Amino acid sequence: SAEHDESLAPQRKLMMGQAPGTHWYHAHKHGSTTINVANGMTGVMIIEGTYDEEIKKAYGKDFKEQVIVLNQIGVTPNREGGTEPSPGPYFSVNGRLQPTITMKPGEVQMWRIANTAGRTGTIFQLPAGLSWRQLAQDGVQFNDTNYQNSENKPFLLASGHRAHLLMKAPR
């Protein structure tokens, strides 16, 4: 009934319903979603909150964030069961193959990573010289015990999943 339809006469201030964190999106046109994702039609939305404010406050004004969008690009549709593989063997990172991230000695950065690949996960293993701790997985911040236990631990970032890492460069 009209008297219970809050959109006609709002009783409270409108509030956003999405939790803070790193989220990703893709086109939803039926019949084309897989092709669109394989062609790189994905993106990231970052919704900030208290969590972000506290991290930035702890690390200071020069704290740098890296937004990393992984995808596995495959531009050849396989609609008729052909033999051409799709997607390719490499992940793209922000649309590039095998890019480089530069860090200063001893610098700590927050990496917001979204795996937007249509079907493939990737295993994160500790690169030589770097160290990390995981802060969050799929928009859920770790409690302190899980954060402390995540130091330099490899993990799988499955298709559609997101992670926040604090990465530290060697001195």
Side-chain angles (χ1 to χ4, degrees), residues 55-98:
I55 291 168
K56 289 175 184 175
K57 184 178 176 184
Y59 284 95
K61 65 180 177 86
D62 294 330
F63 184 62
K64 188 172 183 180
E65 292 182 42
Q66 300 282 356
V67 178
I68 299 170
V69 181
L70 303 176
N71 199 344
Q72 199 169 20
I73 305 298
V75 295
T76 306
N78 188 5
R79 293 185 195 227
E80 297 181 20
T83 59
E84 179 131 5
S86 180
Y90 299 107
F91 279 91
S92 70
V93 179
N94 297 345
R96 299 174 61 198
L97 294 178
Q98 300 178 327

Side-chain angles (χ1 to χ4, degrees), residues 1 26 30 60 66 69 74 91 106 136-137 143-144 149 161 165 167:
S1 73
H26 57 86
H30 292 279
Q66 300 282 356
V69 181
F91 279 91
Q137 178 84 27
N143 66 27
D144 189 57
N149 290 335
H161 289 231
L165 303 176
M167 297 295 291

